[in-house]
Structure formats: structure tokens, C-alpha cells
Amino acid sequence: MKTALITGATAGFGAAAARLFTAAGWRVIGTGRRADRLEALAAELGPDKFHGAVFDIRDDAARDAALDTLPEAFRGINLLVNNAGLALGTQPAQQADLQNWRTMIDTNVTALVSITHKLLPLLIERKGAIINLSSVAATYPYGGGNVYGGTKAFVKQFSLNLRSDLAGTGVRVTSIEPGMAETEFTLVRTGSQEASEKLYGGANPMTAEDIAAMLLWVASLPLHLNINVMEMMPVNQSFAGFAVHRAG
């Protein structure tokens, strides 16, 4: 039985992926800050299939303490899914909160590379795989995307460079780049349920389960095949052209 470590498993893509992977016969280590949600997932999925590791992804010491004391059955990690991440604020750069920028960089970039670095020796030993959650924001800029888009562009390029460094090891690396998907993402970003409902209303967005299915598909491919980058959007979302500001 293979084991996947999925960061940010308390909601959204991570929780959906934990459910789908365990249903497909994987063991899952799910990380997150909210112990109650991880405990609920363990109760739902079974402690033999799901292990909750409670820590803030930005806290190296807490991460190491949790991962260095995993139950024996969960120690042979075959797949790292770097899902934990967030967007904060929608203001233009000149009005943005600097602390929000720092939090996004610490979570989306620094924590992601740190846990990847920790697990690389094991993943190389087991010829495993890494799936990094980037975003269409890595490629298509938009007003207010500033540092969030920059962090996701980093994740994409980091994934491609990992592929270069890991050539010959058998380790596969994929950058998954979703567009609009309805989760708690916008609620966290804006702090407003109304804003979340306005964004998704009538758009028929992707769901967390849609993205989880993509993750499982990539993870289940033959070992000689690597998906470098996978970008997806709901049909009702598109790159609709350049914005032009006209004076006068």
C-alpha cells in the first residue's frame, strides 16, 4: 500500500484528496493546523488509512517533530502533495498589507520548499513523486494578484527545476495549476462570505473533488510517465484579453 503526505488537508483540495486517495487504497498523512478537522477525517476514513499530523506548515520544528514520529505504517512516503497555501487580500500592490505578503511567501514558498527538502531523500530512495499545487495565477496576471501570483509562479518554476535536478532518480514532479474552484479559498482571502458567493455565483466553478481527481490521476500514472504541468479551468472561466486603461 502506497502512502501520500498531503499538506493542508483540513479543507478544500487537501481534504477532498485525502478522501479520494484513501478510497483508492492509499494511506494518507494529512497535515494542518486544525486538530479537530484532522481528527474528524481520521474518524471518517479510519486510523489505519489516515493519520493526522497537526502543525503549522511554516513551523519547521513542529513539522519535524510530527514527521519524525509518524506511526510505523505511515513512514514509507511515496508521494508528497504540496497543497497547503493561501491568498490574502485583493488590494493593488500600493495598498496591500505587507504582513499579508510575508504570510503568503512564508506559506506558499518557504514552507513548501522546506518540507520538500526534508522529504527528498526518502522520495528518491522510494522513487516517489511530488505534486505541487500552483495556480493559473502563475501564468495569467490580474489586478490584486501581486504576491499571490508571484508565489504560484515560483511554485511552477520550482517544480520544473526539481525535474531537472532529479533526472535519473525516478522521482516524478508535477505542477498542478487550477483556475476557479469553489472552496474556502475566497472566504480566507477576503474574510467575506458575501464576496465568496458573488465570485462563484452562476460561474459553475470547479470543485475540490475535481482537483482531487486530477491529483489521483497524476499519482496513478505508470512510473515511466511524468506530467510536467497541468492547467485547468471551468468552462465559464477564460483568459479574456488585456485590460486597457484609457486616459481622459
Side-chain angles (χ1 to χ4, degrees), residues 126-163:
R126 300 181 69 83
K127 298 187 184 300
I130 300 166
I131 303 177
N132 292 325
L133 264 294
S134 180
S135 166
V136 294
T139 303
Y140 309 108
Y142 60 91
N146 44 68
V147 167
Y148 174 71
T151 64
K152 292 304 183 178
F154 175 91
V155 171
K156 177 178 185 174
Q157 193 62 30
F158 179 59
S159 302
L160 296 175
N161 280 279
L162 274 178
R163 282 272 290 134

PDB file of all heavy atoms in Angstrom, residues 126-163:
ATOM      1  N   ARG A 126      12.641   5.896  -2.535  1.00  0.00           N
ATOM      2  CA  ARG A 126      11.459   5.123  -2.897  1.00  0.00           C
ATOM      3  C   ARG A 126      10.982   5.390  -4.324  1.00  0.00           C
ATOM      4  O   ARG A 126       9.944   4.885  -4.728  1.00  0.00           O
ATOM      5  CB  ARG A 126      10.327   5.420  -1.902  1.00  0.00           C
ATOM      6  CG  ARG A 126      10.688   5.064  -0.459  1.00  0.00           C
ATOM      7  CD  ARG A 126       9.547   5.333   0.495  1.00  0.00           C
ATOM      8  NE  ARG A 126       8.438   4.415   0.278  1.00  0.00           N
ATOM      9  CZ  ARG A 126       8.342   3.192   0.777  1.00  0.00           C
ATOM     10  NH1 ARG A 126       9.322   2.710   1.540  1.00  0.00           N
ATOM     11  NH2 ARG A 126       7.294   2.436   0.543  1.00  0.00           N
ATOM     12  N   LYS A 127      11.745   6.191  -5.069  1.00  0.00           N
ATOM     13  CA  LYS A 127      11.360   6.557  -6.439  1.00  0.00           C
ATOM     14  C   LYS A 127       9.913   7.065  -6.450  1.00  0.00           C
ATOM     15  O   LYS A 127       9.058   6.601  -7.214  1.00  0.00           O
ATOM     16  CB  LYS A 127      11.543   5.391  -7.409  1.00  0.00           C
ATOM     17  CG  LYS A 127      12.994   4.925  -7.536  1.00  0.00           C
ATOM     18  CD  LYS A 127      13.150   3.888  -8.614  1.00  0.00           C
ATOM     19  CE  LYS A 127      14.583   3.351  -8.660  1.00  0.00           C
ATOM     20  NZ  LYS A 127      15.578   4.397  -8.938  1.00  0.00           N
ATOM     21  N   GLY A 128       9.663   8.033  -5.599  1.00  0.00           N
ATOM     22  CA  GLY A 128       8.315   8.536  -5.410  1.00  0.00           C
ATOM     23  C   GLY A 128       7.966   9.688  -6.321  1.00  0.00           C
ATOM     24  O   GLY A 128       8.475   9.804  -7.436  1.00  0.00           O
ATOM     25  N   ALA A 129       7.091  10.563  -5.841  1.00  0.00           N
ATOM     26  CA  ALA A 129       6.593  11.646  -6.687  1.00  0.00           C
ATOM     27  C   ALA A 129       6.260  12.865  -5.819  1.00  0.00           C
ATOM     28  O   ALA A 129       5.968  12.741  -4.626  1.00  0.00           O
ATOM     29  CB  ALA A 129       5.350  11.204  -7.459  1.00  0.00           C
ATOM     30  N   ILE A 130       6.299  14.022  -6.470  1.00  0.00           N
ATOM     31  CA  ILE A 130       5.944  15.284  -5.837  1.00  0.00           C
ATOM     32  C   ILE A 130       4.919  15.970  -6.728  1.00  0.00           C
ATOM     33  O   ILE A 130       5.138  16.117  -7.934  1.00  0.00           O
ATOM     34  CB  ILE A 130       7.170  16.201  -5.682  1.00  0.00           C
ATOM     35  CG1 ILE A 130       8.246  15.531  -4.829  1.00  0.00           C
ATOM     36  CG2 ILE A 130       6.766  17.556  -5.082  1.00  0.00           C
ATOM     37  CD1 ILE A 130       9.599  16.223  -4.902  1.00  0.00           C
ATOM     38  N   ILE A 131       3.801  16.371  -6.146  1.00  0.00           N
ATOM     39  CA  ILE A 131       2.808  17.170  -6.862  1.00  0.00           C
ATOM     40  C   ILE A 131       2.663  18.494  -6.122  1.00  0.00           C
ATOM     41  O   ILE A 131       2.304  18.515  -4.944  1.00  0.00           O
ATOM     42  CB  ILE A 131       1.444  16.468  -6.958  1.00  0.00           C
ATOM     43  CG1 ILE A 131       1.571  15.107  -7.639  1.00  0.00           C
ATOM     44  CG2 ILE A 131       0.452  17.344  -7.713  1.00  0.00           C
ATOM     45  CD1 ILE A 131       0.268  14.320  -7.709  1.00  0.00           C
ATOM     46  N   ASN A 132       2.969  19.576  -6.815  1.00  0.00           N
ATOM     47  CA  ASN A 132       2.889  20.903  -6.230  1.00  0.00           C
ATOM     48  C   ASN A 132       1.652  21.626  -6.750  1.00  0.00           C
ATOM     49  O   ASN A 132       1.420  21.668  -7.960  1.00  0.00           O
ATOM     50  CB  ASN A 132       4.139  21.717  -6.572  1.00  0.00           C
ATOM     51  CG  ASN A 132       5.385  21.169  -5.896  1.00  0.00           C
ATOM     52  OD1 ASN A 132       5.323  20.683  -4.768  1.00  0.00           O
ATOM     53  ND2 ASN A 132       6.523  21.246  -6.563  1.00  0.00           N
ATOM     54  N   LEU A 133       0.884  22.221  -5.836  1.00  0.00           N
ATOM     55  CA  LEU A 133      -0.298  22.977  -6.232  1.00  0.00           C
ATOM     56  C   LEU A 133       0.107  24.413  -6.534  1.00  0.00           C
ATOM     57  O   LEU A 133       0.372  25.201  -5.633  1.00  0.00           O
ATOM     58  CB  LEU A 133      -1.359  22.944  -5.129  1.00  0.00           C
ATOM     59  CG  LEU A 133      -2.452  21.889  -5.264  1.00  0.00           C
ATOM     60  CD1 LEU A 133      -3.329  22.149  -6.474  1.00  0.00           C
ATOM     61  CD2 LEU A 133      -1.857  20.481  -5.317  1.00  0.00           C
ATOM     62  N   SER A 134       0.155  24.732  -7.810  1.00  0.00           N
ATOM     63  CA  SER A 134       0.368  26.100  -8.248  1.00  0.00           C
ATOM     64  C   SER A 134      -1.002  26.678  -8.586  1.00  0.00           C
ATOM     65  O   SER A 134      -1.982  26.386  -7.900  1.00  0.00           O
ATOM     66  CB  SER A 134       1.326  26.139  -9.436  1.00  0.00           C
ATOM     67  OG  SER A 134       1.556  27.450  -9.872  1.00  0.00           O
ATOM     68  N   SER A 135      -1.097  27.473  -9.636  1.00  0.00           N
ATOM     69  CA  SER A 135      -2.365  28.125  -9.980  1.00  0.00           C
ATOM     70  C   SER A 135      -2.239  28.726 -11.368  1.00  0.00           C
ATOM     71  O   SER A 135      -1.126  29.003 -11.845  1.00  0.00           O
ATOM     72  CB  SER A 135      -2.660  29.238  -8.963  1.00  0.00           C
ATOM     73  OG  SER A 135      -3.679  30.101  -9.408  1.00  0.00           O
ATOM     74  N   VAL A 136      -3.378  28.984 -12.003  1.00  0.00           N
ATOM     75  CA  VAL A 136      -3.337  29.743 -13.256  1.00  0.00           C
ATOM     76  C   VAL A 136      -2.779  31.141 -13.014  1.00  0.00           C
ATOM     77  O   VAL A 136      -2.296  31.798 -13.931  1.00  0.00           O
ATOM     78  CB  VAL A 136      -4.726  29.836 -13.920  1.00  0.00           C
ATOM     79  CG1 VAL A 136      -5.205  28.462 -14.369  1.00  0.00           C
ATOM     80  CG2 VAL A 136      -5.741  30.505 -13.005  1.00  0.00           C
ATOM     81  N   ALA A 137      -2.808  31.592 -11.742  1.00  0.00           N
ATOM     82  CA  ALA A 137      -2.230  32.891 -11.401  1.00  0.00           C
ATOM     83  C   ALA A 137      -0.724  32.912 -11.615  1.00  0.00           C
ATOM     84  O   ALA A 137      -0.114  33.987 -11.653  1.00  0.00           O
ATOM     85  CB  ALA A 137      -2.552  33.251  -9.952  1.00  0.00           C
ATOM     86  N   ALA A 138      -0.100  31.741 -11.761  1.00  0.00           N
ATOM     87  CA  ALA A 138       1.329  31.678 -12.071  1.00  0.00           C
ATOM     88  C   ALA A 138       1.615  32.164 -13.481  1.00  0.00           C
ATOM     89  O   ALA A 138       2.734  32.595 -13.785  1.00  0.00           O
ATOM     90  CB  ALA A 138       1.830  30.242 -11.916  1.00  0.00           C
ATOM     91  N   THR A 139       0.599  32.102 -14.340  1.00  0.00           N
ATOM     92  CA  THR A 139       0.778  32.431 -15.758  1.00  0.00           C
ATOM     93  C   THR A 139       0.031  33.684 -16.164  1.00  0.00           C
ATOM     94  O   THR A 139       0.544  34.489 -16.947  1.00  0.00           O
ATOM     95  CB  THR A 139       0.294  31.252 -16.630  1.00  0.00           C
ATOM     96  OG1 THR A 139       1.018  30.068 -16.254  1.00  0.00           O
ATOM     97  CG2 THR A 139       0.501  31.537 -18.113  1.00  0.00           C
ATOM     98  N   TYR A 140      -1.184  33.867 -15.636  1.00  0.00           N
ATOM     99  CA  TYR A 140      -2.045  34.965 -16.066  1.00  0.00           C
ATOM    100  C   TYR A 140      -2.179  35.994 -14.940  1.00  0.00           C
ATOM    101  O   TYR A 140      -2.810  35.720 -13.921  1.00  0.00           O
ATOM    102  CB  TYR A 140      -3.421  34.436 -16.457  1.00  0.00           C
ATOM    103  CG  TYR A 140      -3.357  33.284 -17.427  1.00  0.00           C
ATOM    104  CD1 TYR A 140      -3.654  31.987 -17.019  1.00  0.00           C
ATOM    105  CD2 TYR A 140      -2.965  33.491 -18.749  1.00  0.00           C
ATOM    106  CE1 TYR A 140      -3.581  30.920 -17.909  1.00  0.00           C
ATOM    107  CE2 TYR A 140      -2.894  32.432 -19.635  1.00  0.00           C
ATOM    108  CZ  TYR A 140      -3.191  31.153 -19.218  1.00  0.00           C
ATOM    109  OH  TYR A 140      -3.116  30.097 -20.086  1.00  0.00           O
ATOM    110  N   PRO A 141      -1.605  37.173 -15.087  1.00  0.00           N
ATOM    111  CA  PRO A 141      -1.710  38.182 -14.031  1.00  0.00           C
ATOM    112  C   PRO A 141      -3.099  38.807 -13.991  1.00  0.00           C
ATOM    113  O   PRO A 141      -3.824  38.814 -14.988  1.00  0.00           O
ATOM    114  CB  PRO A 141      -0.654  39.223 -14.441  1.00  0.00           C
ATOM    115  CG  PRO A 141      -0.557  39.100 -15.918  1.00  0.00           C
ATOM    116  CD  PRO A 141      -0.798  37.642 -16.230  1.00  0.00           C
ATOM    117  N   TYR A 142      -3.466  39.324 -12.842  1.00  0.00           N
ATOM    118  CA  TYR A 142      -4.739  40.034 -12.685  1.00  0.00           C
ATOM    119  C   TYR A 142      -4.583  41.042 -11.552  1.00  0.00           C
ATOM    120  O   TYR A 142      -3.714  40.885 -10.677  1.00  0.00           O
ATOM    121  CB  TYR A 142      -5.889  39.063 -12.400  1.00  0.00           C
ATOM    122  CG  TYR A 142      -5.712  38.246 -11.142  1.00  0.00           C
ATOM    123  CD1 TYR A 142      -6.204  38.695  -9.917  1.00  0.00           C
ATOM    124  CD2 TYR A 142      -5.046  37.026 -11.162  1.00  0.00           C
ATOM    125  CE1 TYR A 142      -6.055  37.955  -8.761  1.00  0.00           C
ATOM    126  CE2 TYR A 142      -4.881  36.283 -10.010  1.00  0.00           C
ATOM    127  CZ  TYR A 142      -5.384  36.752  -8.810  1.00  0.00           C
ATOM    128  OH  TYR A 142      -5.211  36.009  -7.668  1.00  0.00           O
ATOM    129  N   GLY A 143      -5.398  42.062 -11.553  1.00  0.00           N
ATOM    130  CA  GLY A 143      -5.338  43.082 -10.531  1.00  0.00           C
ATOM    131  C   GLY A 143      -5.525  42.515  -9.145  1.00  0.00           C
ATOM    132  O   GLY A 143      -6.473  41.770  -8.905  1.00  0.00           O
ATOM    133  N   GLY A 144      -4.632  42.835  -8.234  1.00  0.00           N
ATOM    134  CA  GLY A 144      -4.699  42.326  -6.876  1.00  0.00           C
ATOM    135  C   GLY A 144      -4.008  40.996  -6.683  1.00  0.00           C
ATOM    136  O   GLY A 144      -3.913  40.489  -5.566  1.00  0.00           O
ATOM    137  N   GLY A 145      -3.511  40.392  -7.774  1.00  0.00           N
ATOM    138  CA  GLY A 145      -2.844  39.094  -7.672  1.00  0.00           C
ATOM    139  C   GLY A 145      -1.424  39.196  -7.167  1.00  0.00           C
ATOM    140  O   GLY A 145      -0.885  38.217  -6.632  1.00  0.00           O
ATOM    141  N   ASN A 146      -0.803  40.333  -7.353  1.00  0.00           N
ATOM    142  CA  ASN A 146       0.583  40.661  -6.989  1.00  0.00           C
ATOM    143  C   ASN A 146       1.410  39.526  -6.360  1.00  0.00           C
ATOM    144  O   ASN A 146       1.934  38.675  -7.074  1.00  0.00           O
ATOM    145  CB  ASN A 146       0.625  41.941  -6.142  1.00  0.00           C
ATOM    146  CG  ASN A 146      -0.431  42.027  -5.065  1.00  0.00           C
ATOM    147  OD1 ASN A 146      -0.416  41.281  -4.107  1.00  0.00           O
ATOM    148  ND2 ASN A 146      -1.358  42.980  -5.234  1.00  0.00           N
ATOM    149  N   VAL A 147       1.513  39.474  -5.045  1.00  0.00           N
ATOM    150  CA  VAL A 147       2.400  38.499  -4.414  1.00  0.00           C
ATOM    151  C   VAL A 147       1.846  37.072  -4.494  1.00  0.00           C
ATOM    152  O   VAL A 147       2.609  36.120  -4.653  1.00  0.00           O
ATOM    153  CB  VAL A 147       2.692  38.894  -2.955  1.00  0.00           C
ATOM    154  CG1 VAL A 147       3.335  37.741  -2.184  1.00  0.00           C
ATOM    155  CG2 VAL A 147       3.622  40.103  -2.936  1.00  0.00           C
ATOM    156  N   TYR A 148       0.524  36.909  -4.435  1.00  0.00           N
ATOM    157  CA  TYR A 148      -0.028  35.555  -4.580  1.00  0.00           C
ATOM    158  C   TYR A 148       0.388  34.961  -5.922  1.00  0.00           C
ATOM    159  O   TYR A 148       0.898  33.833  -5.985  1.00  0.00           O
ATOM    160  CB  TYR A 148      -1.555  35.577  -4.469  1.00  0.00           C
ATOM    161  CG  TYR A 148      -2.162  34.221  -4.771  1.00  0.00           C
ATOM    162  CD1 TYR A 148      -2.018  33.176  -3.875  1.00  0.00           C
ATOM    163  CD2 TYR A 148      -2.842  33.987  -5.965  1.00  0.00           C
ATOM    164  CE1 TYR A 148      -2.535  31.914  -4.157  1.00  0.00           C
ATOM    165  CE2 TYR A 148      -3.368  32.734  -6.251  1.00  0.00           C
ATOM    166  CZ  TYR A 148      -3.211  31.704  -5.343  1.00  0.00           C
ATOM    167  OH  TYR A 148      -3.714  30.448  -5.635  1.00  0.00           O
ATOM    168  N   GLY A 149       0.186  35.719  -7.010  1.00  0.00           N
ATOM    169  CA  GLY A 149       0.597  35.226  -8.315  1.00  0.00           C
ATOM    170  C   GLY A 149       2.093  34.960  -8.374  1.00  0.00           C
ATOM    171  O   GLY A 149       2.543  33.985  -8.983  1.00  0.00           O
ATOM    172  N   GLY A 150       2.881  35.830  -7.717  1.00  0.00           N
ATOM    173  CA  GLY A 150       4.326  35.629  -7.689  1.00  0.00           C
ATOM    174  C   GLY A 150       4.713  34.341  -6.982  1.00  0.00           C
ATOM    175  O   GLY A 150       5.613  33.616  -7.426  1.00  0.00           O
ATOM    176  N   THR A 151       4.019  34.017  -5.876  1.00  0.00           N
ATOM    177  CA  THR A 151       4.350  32.777  -5.171  1.00  0.00           C
ATOM    178  C   THR A 151       3.999  31.559  -6.007  1.00  0.00           C
ATOM    179  O   THR A 151       4.723  30.553  -5.998  1.00  0.00           O
ATOM    180  CB  THR A 151       3.628  32.688  -3.811  1.00  0.00           C
ATOM    181  OG1 THR A 151       2.204  32.631  -3.993  1.00  0.00           O
ATOM    182  CG2 THR A 151       3.990  33.859  -2.911  1.00  0.00           C
ATOM    183  N   LYS A 152       2.901  31.631  -6.744  1.00  0.00           N
ATOM    184  CA  LYS A 152       2.500  30.483  -7.549  1.00  0.00           C
ATOM    185  C   LYS A 152       3.383  30.326  -8.790  1.00  0.00           C
ATOM    186  O   LYS A 152       3.602  29.210  -9.271  1.00  0.00           O
ATOM    187  CB  LYS A 152       1.022  30.598  -7.923  1.00  0.00           C
ATOM    188  CG  LYS A 152       0.092  30.443  -6.724  1.00  0.00           C
ATOM    189  CD  LYS A 152       0.338  29.122  -5.988  1.00  0.00           C
ATOM    190  CE  LYS A 152      -0.602  28.896  -4.845  1.00  0.00           C
ATOM    191  NZ  LYS A 152      -0.369  27.589  -4.166  1.00  0.00           N
ATOM    192  N   ALA A 153       3.892  31.443  -9.300  1.00  0.00           N
ATOM    193  CA  ALA A 153       4.877  31.360 -10.384  1.00  0.00           C
ATOM    194  C   ALA A 153       6.150  30.688  -9.872  1.00  0.00           C
ATOM    195  O   ALA A 153       6.784  29.885 -10.576  1.00  0.00           O
ATOM    196  CB  ALA A 153       5.181  32.749 -10.935  1.00  0.00           C
ATOM    197  N   PHE A 154       6.530  31.000  -8.634  1.00  0.00           N
ATOM    198  CA  PHE A 154       7.672  30.325  -8.027  1.00  0.00           C
ATOM    199  C   PHE A 154       7.428  28.816  -7.951  1.00  0.00           C
ATOM    200  O   PHE A 154       8.305  28.013  -8.286  1.00  0.00           O
ATOM    201  CB  PHE A 154       7.949  30.874  -6.626  1.00  0.00           C
ATOM    202  CG  PHE A 154       9.040  30.123  -5.908  1.00  0.00           C
ATOM    203  CD1 PHE A 154      10.360  30.522  -6.010  1.00  0.00           C
ATOM    204  CD2 PHE A 154       8.743  28.985  -5.162  1.00  0.00           C
ATOM    205  CE1 PHE A 154      11.370  29.803  -5.385  1.00  0.00           C
ATOM    206  CE2 PHE A 154       9.741  28.251  -4.533  1.00  0.00           C
ATOM    207  CZ  PHE A 154      11.061  28.669  -4.644  1.00  0.00           C
ATOM    208  N   VAL A 155       6.237  28.434  -7.487  1.00  0.00           N
ATOM    209  CA  VAL A 155       5.938  27.003  -7.342  1.00  0.00           C
ATOM    210  C   VAL A 155       6.052  26.288  -8.683  1.00  0.00           C
ATOM    211  O   VAL A 155       6.613  25.190  -8.772  1.00  0.00           O
ATOM    212  CB  VAL A 155       4.535  26.806  -6.729  1.00  0.00           C
ATOM    213  CG1 VAL A 155       4.116  25.337  -6.774  1.00  0.00           C
ATOM    214  CG2 VAL A 155       4.513  27.318  -5.295  1.00  0.00           C
ATOM    215  N   LYS A 156       5.547  26.919  -9.733  1.00  0.00           N
ATOM    216  CA  LYS A 156       5.646  26.315 -11.061  1.00  0.00           C
ATOM    217  C   LYS A 156       7.098  26.149 -11.478  1.00  0.00           C
ATOM    218  O   LYS A 156       7.518  25.067 -11.914  1.00  0.00           O
ATOM    219  CB  LYS A 156       4.905  27.184 -12.080  1.00  0.00           C
ATOM    220  CG  LYS A 156       5.014  26.685 -13.512  1.00  0.00           C
ATOM    221  CD  LYS A 156       4.203  27.572 -14.457  1.00  0.00           C
ATOM    222  CE  LYS A 156       4.205  27.018 -15.880  1.00  0.00           C
ATOM    223  NZ  LYS A 156       3.307  27.798 -16.764  1.00  0.00           N
ATOM    224  N   GLN A 157       7.888  27.205 -11.342  1.00  0.00           N
ATOM    225  CA  GLN A 157       9.282  27.139 -11.792  1.00  0.00           C
ATOM    226  C   GLN A 157      10.106  26.218 -10.901  1.00  0.00           C
ATOM    227  O   GLN A 157      11.001  25.509 -11.386  1.00  0.00           O
ATOM    228  CB  GLN A 157       9.891  28.545 -11.818  1.00  0.00           C
ATOM    229  CG  GLN A 157      11.214  28.626 -12.554  1.00  0.00           C
ATOM    230  CD  GLN A 157      11.090  28.257 -14.029  1.00  0.00           C
ATOM    231  OE1 GLN A 157      10.056  28.466 -14.650  1.00  0.00           O
ATOM    232  NE2 GLN A 157      12.151  27.692 -14.588  1.00  0.00           N
ATOM    233  N   PHE A 158       9.817  26.206  -9.614  1.00  0.00           N
ATOM    234  CA  PHE A 158      10.487  25.285  -8.703  1.00  0.00           C
ATOM    235  C   PHE A 158      10.222  23.841  -9.119  1.00  0.00           C
ATOM    236  O   PHE A 158      11.130  23.000  -9.114  1.00  0.00           O
ATOM    237  CB  PHE A 158       9.991  25.534  -7.278  1.00  0.00           C
ATOM    238  CG  PHE A 158      10.579  24.622  -6.232  1.00  0.00           C
ATOM    239  CD1 PHE A 158      11.947  24.567  -6.020  1.00  0.00           C
ATOM    240  CD2 PHE A 158       9.749  23.837  -5.438  1.00  0.00           C
ATOM    241  CE1 PHE A 158      12.486  23.742  -5.036  1.00  0.00           C
ATOM    242  CE2 PHE A 158      10.269  23.017  -4.458  1.00  0.00           C
ATOM    243  CZ  PHE A 158      11.644  22.954  -4.253  1.00  0.00           C
ATOM    244  N   SER A 159       8.985  23.555  -9.508  1.00  0.00           N
ATOM    245  CA  SER A 159       8.639  22.203  -9.953  1.00  0.00           C
ATOM    246  C   SER A 159       9.458  21.800 -11.174  1.00  0.00           C
ATOM    247  O   SER A 159       9.997  20.691 -11.241  1.00  0.00           O
ATOM    248  CB  SER A 159       7.139  22.125 -10.280  1.00  0.00           C
ATOM    249  OG  SER A 159       6.344  22.477  -9.170  1.00  0.00           O
ATOM    250  N   LEU A 160       9.551  22.698 -12.141  1.00  0.00           N
ATOM    251  CA  LEU A 160      10.294  22.388 -13.364  1.00  0.00           C
ATOM    252  C   LEU A 160      11.784  22.216 -13.081  1.00  0.00           C
ATOM    253  O   LEU A 160      12.444  21.347 -13.660  1.00  0.00           O
ATOM    254  CB  LEU A 160      10.070  23.502 -14.395  1.00  0.00           C
ATOM    255  CG  LEU A 160       8.631  23.659 -14.893  1.00  0.00           C
ATOM    256  CD1 LEU A 160       8.525  24.870 -15.823  1.00  0.00           C
ATOM    257  CD2 LEU A 160       8.143  22.404 -15.600  1.00  0.00           C
ATOM    258  N   ASN A 161      12.315  23.033 -12.177  1.00  0.00           N
ATOM    259  CA  ASN A 161      13.729  22.900 -11.832  1.00  0.00           C
ATOM    260  C   ASN A 161      14.009  21.653 -11.004  1.00  0.00           C
ATOM    261  O   ASN A 161      15.085  21.045 -11.134  1.00  0.00           O
ATOM    262  CB  ASN A 161      14.211  24.162 -11.111  1.00  0.00           C
ATOM    263  CG  ASN A 161      14.523  25.285 -12.081  1.00  0.00           C
ATOM    264  OD1 ASN A 161      15.589  25.331 -12.675  1.00  0.00           O
ATOM    265  ND2 ASN A 161      13.580  26.186 -12.279  1.00  0.00           N
ATOM    266  N   LEU A 162      13.062  21.265 -10.150  1.00  0.00           N
ATOM    267  CA  LEU A 162      13.201  19.988  -9.455  1.00  0.00           C
ATOM    268  C   LEU A 162      13.322  18.834 -10.446  1.00  0.00           C
ATOM    269  O   LEU A 162      14.133  17.927 -10.256  1.00  0.00           O
ATOM    270  CB  LEU A 162      11.987  19.747  -8.550  1.00  0.00           C
ATOM    271  CG  LEU A 162      12.000  20.319  -7.141  1.00  0.00           C
ATOM    272  CD1 LEU A 162      10.684  19.992  -6.452  1.00  0.00           C
ATOM    273  CD2 LEU A 162      13.167  19.790  -6.319  1.00  0.00           C
ATOM    274  N   ARG A 163      12.496  18.887 -11.489  1.00  0.00           N
ATOM    275  CA  ARG A 163      12.574  17.843 -12.521  1.00  0.00           C
ATOM    276  C   ARG A 163      13.970  17.755 -13.100  1.00  0.00           C
ATOM    277  O   ARG A 163      14.498  16.659 -13.332  1.00  0.00           O
ATOM    278  CB  ARG A 163      11.571  18.152 -13.642  1.00  0.00           C
ATOM    279  CG  ARG A 163      10.148  17.809 -13.314  1.00  0.00           C
ATOM    280  CD  ARG A 163       9.809  16.362 -13.670  1.00  0.00           C
ATOM    281  NE  ARG A 163       9.776  16.171 -15.098  1.00  0.00           N
ATOM    282  CZ  ARG A 163      10.348  15.162 -15.751  1.00  0.00           C
ATOM    283  NH1 ARG A 163      11.043  14.255 -15.101  1.00  0.00           N
ATOM    284  NH2 ARG A 163      10.236  15.046 -17.059  1.00  0.00           N
TER     285      ARG A 163
END
